[in-house]
């Protein structure tokens, strides 16, 4: 029940964020130059903006609705945790919970991850931030520093953050992979990656 | 007879050594992608799009289609051996496939998945071969209002059939539409929704958006220690027969039923193969003589769903090729690849680019053969891929999406777009907003808006065509049924699922 609480609280916040984004999007349509057509360039964006506002508000309100069916609520909480393991982000159409067997599949998967739910979720959040920061740094230096050096440094950073003791393997992998991709793209595909400081 | 001779011509081209090689490469890469948990066909195709820039369109398309169905099969390997579906379409395979593996019958489970995928995939391509021309005929009857409704239907079906909250799926669609409208309006050339930033005039590139949403968040969360991700209790393949006579007898029914079901579901715009595999599992359990075996290693529970999801891929190609309407996020990507090569899928493609399209269809037959020829003997090799440490794998993936983005835009703005939408995708994933509908919506923006505008221009601003034209009205009613239907269906299922709570307990115990 505790996790359910959290997911509903997040729905409440998400709803308002979506509505706010929708409002900004909607306001921005008034800066679009209009034409005499029945549908001008601003019409469709305006519909989308209003849609975001309405759906966002609905999502927030739905999070406030009292829970009637504990069984259904449990299923929601379950799907929230298993979304992690089923690879929510890599799929093309999402877990259809309409299906009974979907619930079973989730239950089975849930069993495999049970027991480590909130194991220091704040530490995990910190690691996510860290990896995103390293990734952004990589994107920023890729062109000025050049692909070979930037990539080797990035890969070494990522692998070493993950497995500190394997630093030698990490160096070899970082250098070898950067070189293979660079020369593969250059000679195999005719795509020239930024040479940067080596160029 | 026309179809047969066109197809024969397609085979002649598809059997050329280069085409064959690309079909093999595609299927192989697809299987690898399917095996590795955390990378799905969407990330893989998005990463490969820049690579396929320089290729002949036919070769690029052959390869990327191969990636799609190869990954459908590959994910069953992971589902069976480490209880982690490489892809949602194989989520139900976990139930019985993993149990079979635990009982030392991993080989039988993998074989029934492979053979079922082959049979279903091939039957679906036969369906594609003969149904596409019919769809092309129908397409000539469709006007702007019908196209608009068909695409709206694709979006709504994709969201209503997806995860728990259809509200969040609708939000995802609107996010995709909102992002798609950033840039120059394609009819008037006026900039819109750029928020005053010049660099937004070019719009958000579809491939970068797809990589940012699918590959970046996944890689980062795996690196940050995704729950259960590093814990791969892989079951070893034991020597023994692939399939016994009894296995064959029990698989044939689910294979054929799964093929038909998967194909039909795949053809529906907006519904991908994942639903097909879930439906097939339910159906097999319902009609089984011993439903109590399900969840404890019933081969039927692997054979049916695996057949159904591969048939679903073939089915999803029908509306893509003949109408230019993608049924799922992965087919949306393929649609984008067509457009990238300067081809517009749809009725005209079959007349103007007839040899190309038939070569691709022919190569799918070949790809399916390649799938089974490669996979049964090589399954041990694919299993070893699971030993790649996550930091190596996902570090490499982040580099590849960076390279991909660079070779699309050659600019810092492109790279930063990747990073920013990577964060957006991560947040969406965290709060359970599905990502797939956004991708589908983004690729449909120009078409859906174009048809909407044309409809209103033809009718002088009146919405009447939506209800006065018989085909439009039919589609409109289908959309309403598509929205209301699942709500009723969910209610029924919820009621039916209550007694099933006990068996759930058993499963987790």
């Amino acid at each position: 029940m505790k996790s359910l609480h959290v997911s509903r609280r997040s729905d409440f916040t998400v709803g308002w964020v979506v509505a706010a984004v929708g409002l900004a999007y909607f306001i921005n349509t008034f800066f679009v130059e209009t034409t005499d057509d029945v549908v001008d360039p601003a019409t469709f964006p305006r519909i989308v903006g209003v849609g975001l506002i309405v759906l966002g508000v609905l999502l927030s309100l739905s999070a406030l609705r009292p829970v009637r069916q504990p069984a259904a609520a449990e299923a929601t909480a379950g799907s929230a945790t298993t979304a992690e393991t089923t690879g929510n982000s890599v799929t093309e159409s999402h877990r259809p919970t309409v299906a009974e067997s979907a619930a079973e599949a989730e239950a089975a998967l849930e069993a495999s991850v049970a027991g480590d739910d909130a194991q220091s979720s704040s530490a995990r959040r910190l690691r996510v931030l860290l990896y995103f920061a390293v990734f952004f740094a990589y994107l920023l230096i890729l062109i000025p520093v050049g692909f070979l050096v930037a990539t080797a440094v990035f890969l070494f950073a990522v692998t070493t953050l993950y497995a500190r003791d394997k630093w030698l393997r990490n160096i070899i992998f970082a250098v070898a992979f950067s070189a293979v991709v660079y020369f593969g793209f250059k000679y195999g595909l005719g795509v020239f990656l930024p040479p940067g400081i080596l160029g | 007879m026309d179809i047969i001779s066109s197809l024969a011509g397609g085979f002649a081209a598809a059997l050329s050594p280069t085409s064959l090689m690309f079909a093999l490469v595609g299927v192989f890469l697809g299987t690898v992608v399917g095996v590795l948990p955390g990378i799905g066909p969407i990330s893989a195709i998005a990463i490969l799009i820049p690579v396929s820039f320089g290729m002949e369109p036919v070769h690029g398309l052959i390869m990327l289609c191969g990636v799609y169905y190869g990954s459908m099969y590959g994910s069953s390997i992971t589902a069976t051996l480490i209880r982690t579906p490489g892809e949602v379409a194989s989520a139900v395979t976990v139930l019985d496939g993993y149990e079979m593996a635990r009982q030392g019958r991993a080989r039988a489970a993998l074989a029934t998945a492979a053979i079922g995928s082959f049979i279903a995939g091939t039957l679906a391509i036969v369906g594609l071969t003969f149904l596409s021309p019919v769809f092309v005929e129908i397409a000539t009857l469709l006007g702007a209002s019908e196209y608009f409704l068909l695409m709206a239907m694709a979006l709504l079906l994709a969201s209503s059939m997806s995860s728990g909250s259809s509200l969040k799926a609708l939000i995802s669609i609107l996010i995709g539409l909102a992002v798609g409208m950033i840039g120059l309006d394609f009819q008037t050339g006026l900039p819109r929704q750029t928020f005053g930033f010049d660099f937004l005039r070019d719009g958000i590139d579809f491939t970068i958006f797809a990589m940012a949403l699918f590959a970046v968040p996944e890689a980062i969360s795996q690196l940050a220690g995704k729950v259960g991700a590093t814990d791969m209790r892989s079951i070893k393949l034991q020597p023994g027969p692939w399939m016994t006579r009894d296995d064959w007898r029990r698989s044939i029914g689910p294979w054929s039923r799964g093929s038909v079901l998967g194909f039909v579901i795949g053809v529906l715009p907006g519904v991908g193969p994942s639903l097909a595999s879930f439906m097939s599992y339910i159906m097999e359990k319902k009609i089984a003589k011993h439903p109590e075996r399900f969840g404890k290693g019933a081969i039927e529970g692997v054979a049916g769903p695996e057949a159904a999801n591969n048939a679903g891929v073939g089915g999803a190609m029908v509306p893509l090729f003949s109408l230019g309407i993608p049924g799922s996020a992965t087919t949306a990507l393929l649609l984008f690849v067509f457009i990238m090569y300067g081809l517009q899928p749809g009725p005209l493609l079959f007349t103007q680019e007839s040899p190309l399209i038939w070569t691709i269809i022919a190569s799918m037959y070949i790809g399916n053969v390649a799938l089974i020829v490669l996979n049964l003997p090589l399954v041990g090799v694919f299993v070893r891929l699971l030993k790649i440490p996550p930091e190596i794998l996902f570090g490499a993936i982040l580099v590849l999406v960076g390279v991909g983005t660079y070779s699309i835009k050659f600019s810092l703005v492109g790279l930063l777009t990747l990073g920013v939408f990577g964060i957006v995708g991560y947040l969406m994933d965290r709060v359970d907003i599905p990502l797939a509908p956004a991708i589908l919506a983004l690729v449909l923006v120009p078409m859906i808006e174009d048809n909407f505008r044309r409809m209103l221009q033809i009718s002088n601003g009146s919405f009447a065509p939506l209800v006065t034209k018989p085909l439009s009205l039919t589609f409109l009613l289908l959309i309403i049924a598509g929205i209301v239907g699942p709500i009723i269906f969910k209610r029924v299922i919820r009621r039916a699922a209550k007694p099933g709570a006990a068996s759930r307990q058993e499963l987790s115990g």
Side-chain angles (χ1 to χ4, degrees), chain B residues 207-427:
Chain B
T207 320
I208 298 178
F209 186 73
M211 287 192 292
L213 250 55
F214 280 81
V216 174
E218 184 67 22
I220 301 252
S221 29
Q222 296 269 4
L223 286 169
K226 193 164 214 183
V227 187
T230 45
D231 178 28
M232 291 186 180
R233 290 154 297 174
S234 173
I235 289 186
K236 289 212 173 63
L237 277 180
Q238 287 161 350
W242 284 102
M243 281 173 81
T244 63
R245 188 186 289 265
D246 184 50
D247 290 335
W248 280 95
R249 196 181 48 75
R250 284 169 60 189
S251 292
I252 286 173
W255 285 340
S256 36
R257 283 187 293 272
S259 305
V260 176
L261 181 78
F263 183 74
V264 172
I265 291 180
V267 169
L268 291 175
V271 191
S274 327
L275 185 76
S277 64
F278 282 102
M279 296 285 279
S280 165
Y281 190 82
I282 300 174
M283 188 172 79
E284 290 306 325
K285 195 173 173 180
K286 281 267 172 331
I287 62 171
K289 277 193 201 130
H290 304 281
E292 71 279 0
R293 281 191 195 164
F294 279 76
K296 291 173 194 147
I299 197 165
E300 294 90 343
V302 179
E306 283 299 323
N309 73 38
N310 271 58
V313 174
M317 300 282 185
V318 176
L320 174 69
F321 284 1
S322 53
L323 302 177
I325 296 177
S328 61
T330 315
T331 36
L333 237 76
L334 290 175
L335 173 65
F336 176 80
V337 177
F338 272 95
I339 296 169
M340 181 188 85
Y341 282 127
L343 309 161
Q344 177 64 54
L348 288 177
L349 195 62
F350 272 86
T351 49
Q352 289 171 355
E353 298 284 347
S354 175
L356 171 98
I357 204 88
W358 287 105
T359 307
I360 294 169
I361 293 177
S363 87
M364 290 183 178
Y365 285 96
I366 298 166
N368 260 290
V369 178
L371 201 60
I372 200 162
V373 171
L374 270 181
N375 282 310
L376 280 181
L378 287 184
V379 86
V381 177
F382 289 120
V383 170
R384 231 163 289 155
L385 285 174
L386 292 168
K387 296 221 164 73
I388 299 178
E391 71 273 25
I392 299 269
L393 181 62
F394 292 102
I397 283 177
L398 286 176
V399 168
L400 289 177
V401 296
V403 171
T405 303
Y406 177 78
S407 54
I408 291 167
K409 286 274 183 182
F410 299 103
S411 73
L412 181 63
V413 168
L415 290 169
L416 289 179
T417 309
L418 175 76
V420 169
F421 279 102
I423 295 177
V424 171
Y426 180 82
L427 293 176

Side-chain angles (χ1 to χ4, degrees), chain B residues 39-104:
Chain B
I39 327 169
I42 298 180
S43 314
I45 293 175
I47 291 171
L48 286 171
I49 283 176
V51 176
S52 55
F53 270 152
M55 289 183 189
E56 292 279 312
V58 68
H59 294 151
L61 288 164
I62 285 174
M63 183 178 81
L64 296 176
C65 290
V67 171
Y68 188 13
Y69 45 77
S71 69
M72 286 288 152
Y73 171 71
S75 67
S76 68
I77 298 178
T78 334
T80 302
L81 294 178
I82 62 166
R83 205 180 189 174
T84 306
E87 232 258 299
V88 156
S90 288
V92 283
T93 307
V94 168
L95 295 176
D96 285 285
Y98 184 71
E99 281 306 313
M100 285 179 76
R102 267 189 19 184
Q103 295 157 18

Side-chain angles (χ1 to χ4, degrees), chain A residues 11 25 28 39 41 44 84 88-92 95-96 98 101 104 116 124 127-128 139 147 162 169 194, chain B residues 38 68 88 163 168 178 181 192-193 214 218 223-227 230 278 285 328 391 403 426 429 436 452:
Chain A
D11 275 6
Y25 200 81
N28 194 63
V39 183
F44 237 65
E84 294 263 281
N88 192 6
S89 56
V90 281
T91 56
E92 60 160 312
R95 296 155 293 115
V98 284
S101 54
E104 282 180 24
D116 77 304
R124 191 175 178 280
R127 284 200 301 274
V128 169
L139 296 176
F147 177 84
Y162 196 96
R169 181 210 65 178
Chain B
Y68 188 13
V88 156
S163 68
K168 287 182 180 171
M181 285 165 196
R192 56 175 178 173
Q193 301 307 86
F214 280 81
E218 184 67 22
L223 286 169
K226 193 164 214 183
V227 187
T230 45
F278 282 102
K285 195 173 173 180
S328 61
E391 71 273 25
V403 171
Y426 180 82
D429 193 28
F452 183 75

Side-chain angles (χ1 to χ4, degrees), chain B residues 14-27 55 59 62-63:
Chain B
L15 284 168
S16 77
T18 15
S19 299
L20 264 180
M21 188 192 78
F22 282 111
L24 280 178
V25 168
V27 170
M55 289 183 189
H59 294 151
I62 285 174
M63 183 178 81

Side-chain angles (χ1 to χ4, degrees), chain B residues 460-477:
Chain B
N460 271 322
S462 155
F463 285 92
L466 292 178
V467 284
T468 52
K469 294 171 83 177
L471 257 176
S472 295
L473 186 63
T474 315
F475 290 153
L476 202 59
L477 293 175

